[in-house]
Amino acid sequence: ATEPDVVLPAMKAKERVVLLGDHKQLGPVIAERDMCRPYLIALEEPLLGRLHRNPQLLPESTRTMLTTQYRMPASLSRFPSKQYYESKLQDDTSVREGKLHSAIWPTEDEHVVFVDCLHPHEMGPAMSVGRSRCMDASTVENNTSLKNRGEADLVALTCYKLIKLKLVRDASQLAVITPYRAQQQEIRTLLITAVGEKNAREIAVGTVYAL
């Protein structure tokens, strides 16, 4: 949420305001670009991030960090823990490491691979709209997000190889997560060509907000 989205409802509070969030994760995405640059930069900065940089606004005594994560194997959590959270993240005992094929994960016990893609980002539609529909400027802005064709091509190729080499039982075992809705649409479109319509429907493609 942008800072105005947080501040306006907070003004209704009578005693206290409790902010829950993570300023280290994806910040607000502002589709509207026809505004002055300083205001745009202010909107794109997470409120918690600005508060964390100023101990006078957010004293240490008012901060609480949840250090136990339940979402991923330890080999995945090690990187974000070291890179963003000063190695403070702890893995819950319910999180288990699964065995993955060495053809995809070249380093034993490491379930993450970084692929450098130099393809530039561009703006694209966040959802498909019928050709007969007419959208005003505001609707177009709210339906605009970032996408990257080069990254989407790599995702489609990876899914194709996983299925072709039978490294997964079926396409329903695959899931793709992306930060942006336009990239979600781009990947879904390319998957149909890469793996066929039936397999493409079975692969879950979602954003960081909803899978």
Side-chain angles (χ1 to χ4, degrees):
T2 64
E3 189 163 329
D5 290 331
V6 178
V7 172
L8 290 176
M11 293 175 65
K12 295 289 186 179
K14 294 183 178 180
E15 295 184 9
R16 70 181 65 182
V17 174
V18 179
L19 299 178
L20 302 177
D22 186 351
H23 61 290
K24 298 291 187 179
Q25 297 195 25
L26 184 66
V29 178
I30 311 300
E32 297 83 355
R33 314 308 292 182
D34 57 344
M35 60 181 68
C36 67
R37 184 63 181 167
Y39 185 58
L40 180 62
I41 294 174
L43 287 178
E44 290 177 331
E45 181 179 17
L47 173 60
L48 280 176
R50 189 168 66 83
L51 294 178
H52 266 267
R53 292 202 309 272
N54 192 332
Q56 293 182 337
L57 295 176
L58 191 69
E60 287 289 341
S61 59
T62 65
R63 307 181 187 187
T64 300
M65 177 179 174
L66 304 179
T67 57
T68 303
Q69 69 88 18
Y70 305 84
R71 304 173 64 182
M72 66 190 86
S75 61
L76 289 181
S77 68
R78 276 196 290 270
F79 172 76
S81 179
K82 181 179 179 180
Q83 184 74 14
Y84 301 108
Y85 303 106
E86 300 176 344
S87 299
K88 293 180 180 179
L89 287 185
Q90 302 294 320
D91 306 306
D92 187 75
T93 55
S94 63
V95 181
R96 298 180 179 178
E97 295 277 0
K99 292 184 178 180
L100 298 176
H101 200 282
S102 59
I104 313 167
W105 315 106
T107 305
E108 187 177 0
D109 297 329
E110 286 292 335
H111 295 180
V112 59
V113 174
F114 291 96
V115 179
D116 188 9
C117 177
L118 299 180
H119 196 279
H121 284 68
E122 59 184 315
M123 302 301 291
M127 61 186 72
S128 59
V129 178
R131 294 182 180 179
S132 62
R133 292 185 59 186
C134 179
M135 298 191 296
D136 57 27
S138 177
T139 305
V140 171
E141 287 175 344
N142 291 328
N143 191 44
T144 302
S145 178
L146 286 174
K147 67 176 184 177
N148 187 305
R149 176 60 186 263
E151 292 179 0
D153 281 333
L154 287 174
V155 170
L157 178 61
T158 301
C159 291
Y160 166 77
K161 289 188 174 181
L162 288 171
I163 295 172
K164 181 177 176 61
L165 298 176
K166 297 182 178 181
L167 299 178
V168 291
R169 185 177 64 250
D170 53 55
S172 65
Q173 286 192 298
L174 300 177
V176 180
I177 300 177
T178 174
Y180 306 109
R181 288 184 298 163
Q183 184 73 341
Q184 179 187 31
Q185 295 297 325
E186 186 82 0
I187 291 171
R188 283 176 173 170
T189 300
L190 293 177
L191 281 175
I192 294 175
T193 303
V195 302
E197 189 171 350
K198 179 179 181 297
N199 285 329
R201 286 199 306 267
E202 294 181 356
I203 298 174
V205 182
T207 67
V208 292
Y209 301 106
L211 183 59

